[in-house]
């Protein structure tokens, strides 16, 4: 009892990170976003229903004030602004309490997007009309690099064992190791965006990937958006901003493209998540097993949920739990399932947390949840790669298919 009391007292006596020991708020101040932030301490003072920030020396401050995770803008008199405000030629939005707000915000009859990747400035090219965002894409590539509608869902190997994508390009065959290594590239730096990896306006019906889905490498915009995203990130505020991150199917489509291609602009592999396992197996890439017909998981398995999710298996543990990689709110991450009996502290959960903490610390500090439920073991159908042979797109010279989750992670990332 005494120990608990001491812990309680210690917690209560510790100052909050945004406050100095004497109760003053501490943070940083910038006159403009181009200037370097300077440390500042002070207090809020109420003046006729408005709040002014006054520094320790008694002077009102002005400019961008950041305290902890909260951002304010102080006008010429040191008062925090609210609503939509024009600053330096751009529009920003602040709540009634003065805290800056990001994402979709309805103003009058129109809804605008205030981009966290641009310090929260309003993107004038993104206006929601009747609920559908008009999203300005990145600079368009040459016409011959734009992906086309993926209606060729019956792709097959030719007689020589070559495989051609839906634009007629022959893909380069790869290894299971390169597939899983590629799958880890966006981990810890890519947020979950509903519609991410899909072309704007596709609405998941046209099987048409975004520019990023057929581009080699991780988009710098993904990591930029991640660095600006708060711990409280809610993907529902960023639907269909397809160039800022990836959803589950966009992620798997990107992984496949980057595994089988060395140049950008060939055919894409983006489609509904629930169709991925069955479709890829139908192309001859592997064998299909419906949900509930198996209990084993192998590195590289592509798992589709009828309700609309997809993930890639990194390996199974001796207690039956599975380490996997997927794009799931908050974003692209390594997670572990509980056991079939629901044991939460499973080997896979501990492995996933350990590797995310060591190799992706910036992500782990924001989004430490590394656990997924039993449905990931029971409700998904499976596509298992055919490894080696004339009619296969993956081989396994490294023997990953016979490794457990811990061995695969050590091989791909190192010890943890």
């Amino acid at each position: 009892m005494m120990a608990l009391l001491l812990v309680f007292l210690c917690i209560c006596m510790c100052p909050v990170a945004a406050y100095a020991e004497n109760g003053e708020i501490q943070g940083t101040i910038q006159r403009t976003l181009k200037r370097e932030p300077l440390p500042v301490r002070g207090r809020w003072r109420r003046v006729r229903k408005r709040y002014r920030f006054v520094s320790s020396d008694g002077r009102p401050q002005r400019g961008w004030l950041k305290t902890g995770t909260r951002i304010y803008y102080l006008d010429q008199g040191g008062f925090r602004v609210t609503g939509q405000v024009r600053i330096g030629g751009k529009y920003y939005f602040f709540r009634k309490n003065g805290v800056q707000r990001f994402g979709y915000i309805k103003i009058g009859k129109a809804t605008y997007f205030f981009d966290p990747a641009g310090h929260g400035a309003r993107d004038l090219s993104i206006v929601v009309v009747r609920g559908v965002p008009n999203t300005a894409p990145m600079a368009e590539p040459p016409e011959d690099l734009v992906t086309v509608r993926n209606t060729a869902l019956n792709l097959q190997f030719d007689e020589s064992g070559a495989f051609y994508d839906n634009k007629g390009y022959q893909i380069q065959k790869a290894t299971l190791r390169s597939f899983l290594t590629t799958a880890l590239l966006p981990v810890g730096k890519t947020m979950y965006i509903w519609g991410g990896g899909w072309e704007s306006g596709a609405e998941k019906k046209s099987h048409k990937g975004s520019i990023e889905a057929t581009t080699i490498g991780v988009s710098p915009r993904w990591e930029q958006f991640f660095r600006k995203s708060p711990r409280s990130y809610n993907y529902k505020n960023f639907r269909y901003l397809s160039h800022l991150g990836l959803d589950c199917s966009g992620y798997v489509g990107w992984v496949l493209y980057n595994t089988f291609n060395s140049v950008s602009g060939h055919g894409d592999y983006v489609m509904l998540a629930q169709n991925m396992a069955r479709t890829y197996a139908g192309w001859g890439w592997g064998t299909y097993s419906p949900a509930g017909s198996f209990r084993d998981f192998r590195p590289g398995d592509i798992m589709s949920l009828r309700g609309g999710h997809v993930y890639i298996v990194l390996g199974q543990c001796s207690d039956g739990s599975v380490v996997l990689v997927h794009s799931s709110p908050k974003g692209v991450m390594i997670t572990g399932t509980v056991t079939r009996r629901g044991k939460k502290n499973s080997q896979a959960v501990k492995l996933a947390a350990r590797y995310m903490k060591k190799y992706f610390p910036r992500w782990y500090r924001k989004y430490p949840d590394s656990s997924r439920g039993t449905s990931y073991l029971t409700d998904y159908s499976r596509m298992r790669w055919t490894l080696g042979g004339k009619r296969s797109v993956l081989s396994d010279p490294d023997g990953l298919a016979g490794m457990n989750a811990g061995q695969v992670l050590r091989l791909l990332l190192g010890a943890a």
Side-chain angles (χ1 to χ4, degrees):
M1 187 67 182
M2 181 61 70
L4 290 174
L5 180 59
L6 288 173
V7 171
F8 176 79
L9 289 174
C10 288
I11 293 174
C12 293
M13 293 173 66
C14 289
V16 179
Y19 290 82
E21 292 182 0
N22 60 3
E24 288 186 330
I25 298 172
Q26 59 183 13
T28 59
I29 192 77
Q30 290 174 275
R31 286 291 180 91
T32 69
L33 292 173
K34 293 182 179 180
R35 295 190 180 185
E36 288 295 320
L38 300 174
V40 66
R41 290 188 180 189
R43 300 176 184 271
W44 290 111
R45 292 183 180 175
R46 187 170 181 175
V47 182
R48 295 182 181 179
K49 297 183 179 182
R50 297 183 67 193
Y51 286 88
R52 167 188 281 166
F53 184 81
V54 179
S55 62
S56 301
D57 58 10
R59 294 184 302 171
Q61 296 292 315
R62 61 187 176 94
W64 294 91
L65 173 69
K66 183 175 183 180
T67 63
T69 59
R70 296 186 173 191
I71 300 174
Y72 305 86
Y73 185 79
L74 309 175
D75 64 16
Q76 294 289 341
F79 293 99
R80 63 194 190 196
V81 299
T82 60
Q84 182 175 220
V85 181
R86 186 171 182 175
I87 304 169
K90 296 182 179 180
Y91 288 97
Y92 302 84
F93 194 90
F94 301 86
R95 301 176 188 270
K96 290 182 179 180
N97 63 358
V99 177
Q100 188 179 13
R101 184 179 169 189
F102 306 98
Y104 288 115
I105 300 172
K106 187 175 181 180
I107 302 174
K109 295 183 178 180
T111 302
Y112 298 93
F113 179 70
F114 291 81
D115 190 356
H119 299 287
R122 193 179 87 184
D123 190 328
L124 298 179
S125 63
I126 303 178
V127 182
V128 179
V129 181
R130 295 180 182 176
V132 180
N134 173 24
T135 307
M138 297 171 62
E140 294 289 345
E143 185 176 354
D144 62 332
L145 293 185
V146 179
T147 58
V148 298
R149 182 182 298 270
N150 183 0
T151 56
L153 299 183
N154 58 343
L155 305 180
Q156 299 287 338
F157 290 92
D158 67 10
E159 294 181 357
S160 69
F163 191 90
Y164 295 83
D165 65 27
N166 61 305
K167 285 192 71 174
Y169 290 98
Q170 182 177 347
I171 71 172
Q172 59 185 27
K173 298 188 178 184
T175 66
L176 180 58
R177 182 175 182 174
S178 66
F179 171 65
L180 294 179
T181 299
T182 301
L184 294 178
L185 293 179
V187 170
K189 63 183 69 170
T190 308
M191 302 303 293
Y192 179 90
I193 296 288
W194 180 279
W198 292 75
E199 184 183 72
S200 301
E203 296 181 354
K204 301 196 173 185
K205 296 179 181 179
S206 67
H207 301 288
K208 190 173 183 181
S210 68
I211 295 171
E212 290 86 356
T214 56
T215 297
I216 298 299
V218 176
S219 169
R221 294 180 70 174
W222 297 346
E223 185 167 9
Q224 183 185 26
F225 183 63
F226 156 64
R227 289 177 178 271
K228 296 289 185 180
S229 297
R231 287 183 172 86
S232 59
Y233 176 79
N234 185 345
Y235 76 91
K236 294 180 181 179
N237 295 326
F238 303 94
R239 290 173 180 264
Y240 300 111
L241 297 178
S242 59
H243 304 292
L244 295 182
L246 294 168
D247 66 10
C248 61
S249 53
Y251 163 67
V252 172
W254 179 91
V255 172
L256 291 171
Y257 188 89
N258 276 259
T259 299
F260 297 133
N261 294 274
S262 56
V263 295
S264 301
H266 291 183
D268 69 88
Y269 305 96
V270 176
M271 64 188 70
L272 291 173
Q274 56 264 42
N275 295 338
M276 284 183 152
R278 185 186 293 273
T279 299
Y280 300 149
W283 290 352
W285 286 2
T287 56
Y288 176 79
S289 300
S293 66
F294 56 90
R295 297 175 69 93
D296 64 310
F297 296 79
R298 196 172 76 179
D301 287 349
I302 293 179
M303 313 295 298
S304 286
L305 176 68
R306 184 177 181 181
H309 188 52
V310 63
Y311 71 83
I312 298 170
V313 174
L314 289 175
Q316 191 167 21
C317 299
S318 60
D319 63 357
S321 59
V322 171
V323 178
L324 58 105
V325 60
H326 60 161
S327 183
S328 174
K330 308 291 186 181
V332 182
M333 67 186 91
I334 299 170
T335 56
T337 72
V338 300
T339 66
R340 281 183 174 265
R341 293 186 176 182
K343 181 182 178 182
K344 295 181 179 180
N345 193 27
S346 68
Q347 294 173 2
V349 169
K350 289 188 286 189
L351 263 177
R354 194 158 68 242
Y355 272 86
M356 288 300 297
K357 184 176 182 179
K358 178 172 181 178
Y359 291 97
F360 311 99
R362 186 185 294 267
W363 180 281
Y364 188 79
R365 286 194 296 269
K366 282 186 178 182
Y367 315 118
D369 181 22
S370 303
S371 177
R372 293 297 182 269
T374 56
S375 64
Y376 279 72
L377 301 174
T378 59
D379 296 355
Y380 285 71
S381 58
R382 180 183 72 192
M383 194 285 289
R384 173 160 291 176
W385 297 95
T386 297
L387 299 173
K390 182 178 180 180
R391 292 179 178 271
S392 66
V393 291
L394 287 185
S395 60
D396 186 25
D398 305 284
L400 270 77
M403 296 183 183
N404 61 38
Q407 292 170 328
V408 171
L409 288 169
R410 280 194 297 272
L411 179 66
L412 299 180
L413 293 173

